[in-house]
Amino acid sequence: MTYNAEFLKKSIDLSRTNMSKNMGGPFGAVITKDGKVIAEGSNQVTSTNDPTAHAEMVAIRNACKTLNTFDLAGCEIYSSCEPCPMCLSAIYWARLDKIYFANSRQDAADIGFDDDFIYQEIPKPLESRKLACVHVSSPEANAVFKEWMKKVDKIEY
């Protein structure tokens, strides 16, 4: 698989159209497989009241529906902007092969989308993060994990 400028342009066109229609922020993404677009996504945070409805997340959800799988190995994603930490994590979880992006996270910060703040928070110890994170040890929760390990009909991912 190699870079295709038309796919990146399509993600940028989606970002512009989405912004013009006031559906969400100026972000678009397309997912490709075997040289064809299989899914598109644009930011729908404000139009759906869903803070996870970023362009990449929407595209991943649509690609998984199209291919009827949770594993997008063999696919690539083209995004109008460098993925935020949530989207980057989802891209890893979906096992996409490659990310191509146009605007950088600094470009996004320059227009008021400061994803870099979250990138900076992740490596901090729990007690140093701005969001309070409290680990509460639970034997019941641990028992569920032990049951998962023994489960013979589990679907691993």
Side-chain angles (χ1 to χ4, degrees), residues 48-95:
T48 63
N49 294 319
D50 179 354
T52 70
H54 290 196
E56 297 90 344
M57 300 293 283
V58 173
I60 288 169
R61 291 171 185 150
N62 290 338
C64 289
K65 286 179 191 171
T66 297
L67 298 178
N68 195 31
T69 183
F70 55 81
D71 185 342
L72 298 178
C75 297
E76 297 178 332
I77 188 165
Y78 289 78
S79 180
S80 64
C81 188
E82 182 177 358
C84 76
M86 173 184 67
C87 294
L88 181 61
S89 296
I91 289 165
Y92 273 102
W93 279 117
R95 294 176 176 79

Side-chain angles (χ1 to χ4, degrees), residues 8-152:
L8 190 61
K9 182 180 181 322
K10 186 162 186 60
S11 75
I12 295 166
D13 290 346
L14 284 167
S15 73
R16 177 176 282 113
T17 299
N18 191 64
M19 177 187 63
S20 298
K21 291 181 177 179
N22 286 325
M23 299 298 290
F27 304 99
V30 298
I31 295 179
T32 64
K33 184 176 177 90
D34 300 325
K36 296 177 186 165
V37 173
I38 59 161
E40 299 178 353
S42 56
N43 183 288
Q44 300 174 9
V45 170
T46 58
S47 60
T48 63
N49 294 319
D50 179 354
T52 70
H54 290 196
E56 297 90 344
M57 300 293 283
V58 173
I60 288 169
R61 291 171 185 150
N62 290 338
C64 289
K65 286 179 191 171
T66 297
L67 298 178
N68 195 31
T69 183
F70 55 81
D71 185 342
L72 298 178
C75 297
E76 297 178 332
I77 188 165
Y78 289 78
S79 180
S80 64
C81 188
E82 182 177 358
C84 76
M86 173 184 67
C87 294
L88 181 61
S89 296
I91 289 165
Y92 273 102
W93 279 117
R95 294 176 176 79
L96 287 149
D97 290 356
K98 192 175 277 188
I99 305 166
Y100 298 99
F101 63 90
N103 291 315
S104 70
R105 70 174 98 157
Q106 183 58 55
D107 295 328
D110 290 346
I111 64 164
F113 293 93
D114 195 7
D115 301 337
D116 195 52
F117 163 75
I118 301 170
Y119 275 107
Q120 292 175 25
E121 285 286 293
I122 292 170
K124 290 181 181 178
L126 294 178
E127 63 276 1
S128 298
R129 293 181 183 168
K130 294 213 185 274
L131 177 63
C133 299
V134 180
H135 173 230
V136 180
S137 184
S138 169
E140 292 85 5
N142 191 260
V144 174
F145 273 20
K146 287 179 181 176
E147 289 174 37
W148 172 259
M149 289 299 298
K150 295 176 186 175
K151 186 172 172 52
V152 294

